[in-house]
Amino acid sequence: MVQTGRSAVHPAVARAFRALDDSGLPWVLLRGADDLARPSGDVDILVAGALLPGLDGLMAGIGLCRVRAAGHGSHRFYFGYEDDDGGLWLKLDVVSDISFGRYQQWRTPLAAECLERRVRDGGWWMPAPADQAWLQLLHLALDKGEIRPQRQDTARTAAAAASSGDRLAAYLDQRCGAGAAAELLDLVRSNRFDDVPALAARLRSGWTDGARVRTPLRALTHRASRFVLSPRLPGHGLVVGVMAPDGAGKTTLLHGLRADFPIPTAYVYMGMWGAGPWDGWLHRVPGGRTAKKMFRVLKGGAAARYHRARGRVVLMDRVAYDALLPAAVDDAAAGRPAHSAAGKPRVGLSDALAVRLGAAPDLLLVLDVPGEVMFARKGEHTAEILEKWRQAYLRLAETLPAALVLDAGQSPEVVQRLAARAVWHRICPDSGTDDAETPDAGADDAAALALHTWRLLDWRFLLPVQPRRVGYGGAVDPRTAAALRLLDPAATRVDAGRPAGPDNSFEVVLLREPDLPLFEDASAAVQPGGWMCVQVERSLLRRQGPRTLAGWKRTFERRGFEDVNVYWHATTLDSPARLVPVASPAAVRDTLSQHEGVRFGLAKAVLARAALALRLFAVAVPAGSVTGRRPES
């Protein structure tokens, strides 16, 4: 637990605050300052709009993943799982403007003012006391429509710190009529909380912002978006399968995860051998059992793929791999290996088809429980039979991709924590970050970083100089910022709109996924003879700025940079195995030949070679770096 001047703060929350501080842009904690040691609800944060382009990467760098939720205005929701003291789900609710109403339909221009008047309070920023008081009162009146008994002390404290002459009080009078702010204060100070709902209704109905049509339309649009577009993880979701004999606790675990997960989930049952009302008839028909198995595989697989495409975590009770178990049991009893000499599971034609049609889990949890424990739990079969099945599952797990064996002989609460941690690490690979890996003012960054973090500095080999005075900007996460301090302990974030000067002049500037305003201001901050390195991904849907690395190269040249070069990050921007100069066809062809063996690698290599022959590879390359030198004069 991190101690600040005000109260204890959970380490994950402290990491988030430090990451926001490192961004160099203003932010404030809106609510929840007294519940930071182990937050039981949302941690509400207001940030500057300029921070939004890099916010997802910033949060991912400290183990928080965004859940996209349409129809919530500027709200962005970030979740994280901490495996400490029973497990903790952390939720940050980040906004870039101040809006009120159930559907954020009443927008205000107050965010910039509140950020400008912010004050430091221990380890975080808070709105000025009067702003904080009025934001709390307006939240209760306009968002909640009432002040419930459990919130009345909070309302009294806010009313004591507020006055009708404050800036936000004047704004309320401007929107809802003169005297509205004074009336709200009077009701709270005189404890007439029963009269608050009527006043809240008048404030809502009397709100005027010059948009009598747009405000109801905004509410309707946000409400419809919430109904049609459910919350989702970025990209595709995750299929989590559970395998184990009867009595191991599969269903208990999955229902516990579903009830505990604050992120979108879907439960899919893939029992191929479960009893059904038509079993008596089907078992008399040749091929009936096989047809039943295939139908259930198709049905369960289709449901899992649908929910995965909707960005949900699919919790699959049993998986198509169960079709391999009868052979695995026979192999275990006979002492035969569970796989062939080629390393493949021994499998018949119908079973192979079932595995092919079923949705392959992204994470397969195999619950390991001794046979006698399973028998004591459920009383089915015998302890000896269940032990044979246990060994068969373990042997089969050795041949299956993405399999993870969990010791499920422990209490259900412990098993659920182990499973939740495994699932979350698959959703957010950086969620293993701990305090020792998080940059902190005054800490020894070199000691705090794992050795693999040095890979974040591979880009420096693209430059002919040893970086000294370093600036960085865009979606640079805390780990990368800490790594940059190994090159320059005074490494500084470059922000759009910050005036150039001696303190904002650098020998080397690293930008990650910048927008054009940031690129323009950062290029002006490069010293004559200095270098700029921009790490970007191709995006044909980008609304502004270059969409390809070739476009970024032209942007460098138009800005006057010389010696501009493009490098392909093979295979991804985050974990490149090689940094390949696009201007070298031989290096590109050699790299392509090494990726032909992966899935779809041959097809991609053919297309890439065609782009290379047409001199369009800088347009086709999916991710990379562009470097350039600013002229001496």
Side-chain angles (χ1 to χ4, degrees), residues 145-158:
E146 61 180 342
I147 302 178
R148 295 183 178 181
Q150 61 269 30
R151 295 178 180 268
Q152 289 176 3
D153 287 340
T154 300
R156 293 188 192 97
T157 301

Side-chain angles (χ1 to χ4, degrees), residues 607-632:
L607 294 175
R609 284 196 172 91
L612 189 63
L614 296 172
R615 298 184 179 181
L616 295 175
F617 193 77
V619 176
V621 66
S625 292
V626 183
T627 63
R629 179 177 61 86
R630 183 177 176 183
E632 293 286 351

Side-chain angles (χ1 to χ4, degrees), residues 378-407:
K378 208 164 184 179
E380 295 183 0
H381 309 294
T382 65
E384 292 75 16
I385 292 176
L386 290 172
E387 182 62 27
K388 288 182 179 179
W389 279 96
R390 174 201 180 193
Q391 296 301 327
Y393 273 103
L394 294 177
R395 291 161 67 89
L396 183 59
E398 297 176 358
T399 70
L400 299 177
L404 176 65
V405 177
L406 293 182
D407 179 6

Side-chain angles (χ1 to χ4, degrees), residues 71-83:
H72 289 268
S74 71
H75 287 256
R76 293 190 179 200
F77 304 105
Y78 296 92
F79 290 85
Y81 181 74
E82 296 293 316
D83 185 22

Side-chain angles (χ1 to χ4, degrees), residues 100-167:
F100 297 105
R102 182 178 180 183
Y103 300 104
Q104 290 77 49
Q105 63 267 39
W106 294 306
R107 301 179 64 178
T108 77
L110 300 174
E113 298 180 30
C114 290
L115 290 173
E116 184 179 353
R117 291 190 293 265
R118 65 180 181 152
V119 295
R120 192 73 178 180
D121 188 353
W124 57 87
W125 292 95
M126 296 288 291
D131 291 345
Q132 183 182 0
W134 275 109
L135 289 174
Q136 182 65 58
L137 292 171
L138 293 177
H139 169 67
L140 294 173
L142 295 174
D143 294 344
K144 304 299 182 182
E146 61 180 342
I147 302 178
R148 295 183 178 181
Q150 61 269 30
R151 295 178 180 268
Q152 289 176 3
D153 287 340
T154 300
R156 293 188 192 97
T157 301
S163 75
S164 57
D166 295 329
R167 172 66 185 92

Side-chain angles (χ1 to χ4, degrees), residues 153-235:
D153 287 340
T154 300
R156 293 188 192 97
T157 301
S163 75
S164 57
D166 295 329
R167 172 66 185 92
L168 268 64
Y171 183 82
L172 179 62
D173 287 346
Q174 178 186 350
R175 292 289 173 244
C176 301
E183 185 176 0
L184 177 58
L185 286 178
D186 181 59
L187 290 182
V188 175
R189 290 170 177 171
S190 60
N191 295 320
R192 288 183 289 151
F193 295 107
D194 291 339
D195 296 334
V196 170
L199 174 60
R202 293 202 308 273
L203 295 178
R204 291 170 168 181
S205 62
W207 186 281
T208 60
D209 58 1
R212 289 189 175 275
V213 175
R214 288 198 304 270
T215 297
L217 182 61
R218 186 182 301 120
L220 179 61
T221 302
H222 287 181
R223 184 175 184 179
S225 297
R226 294 186 194 182
F227 178 77
V228 175
L229 303 173
S230 60
R232 57 170 299 144
L233 293 169

Side-chain angles (χ1 to χ4, degrees), residues 284-360:
R284 292 193 295 269
V285 176
R289 286 175 57 88
T290 300
K292 169 188 172 182
K293 176 173 68 174
M294 292 304 170
F295 172 76
R296 290 191 171 181
V297 166
L298 284 171
K299 179 183 176 183
R305 291 186 177 96
Y306 167 77
H307 290 300
R308 184 177 186 273
R310 293 291 301 271
R312 298 165 182 162
V313 175
V314 182
L315 302 174
M316 185 180 290
D317 193 341
R318 301 184 182 274
V319 294
Y321 294 135
D322 280 349
L324 309 178
L325 259 297
V329 172
D330 294 340
D331 287 339
R336 295 191 298 268
H339 49 79
S340 66
K344 303 292 185 183
R346 299 181 186 277
V347 57
L349 179 61
S350 65
D351 295 333
L353 184 59
V355 171
R356 183 69 176 175
L357 296 177

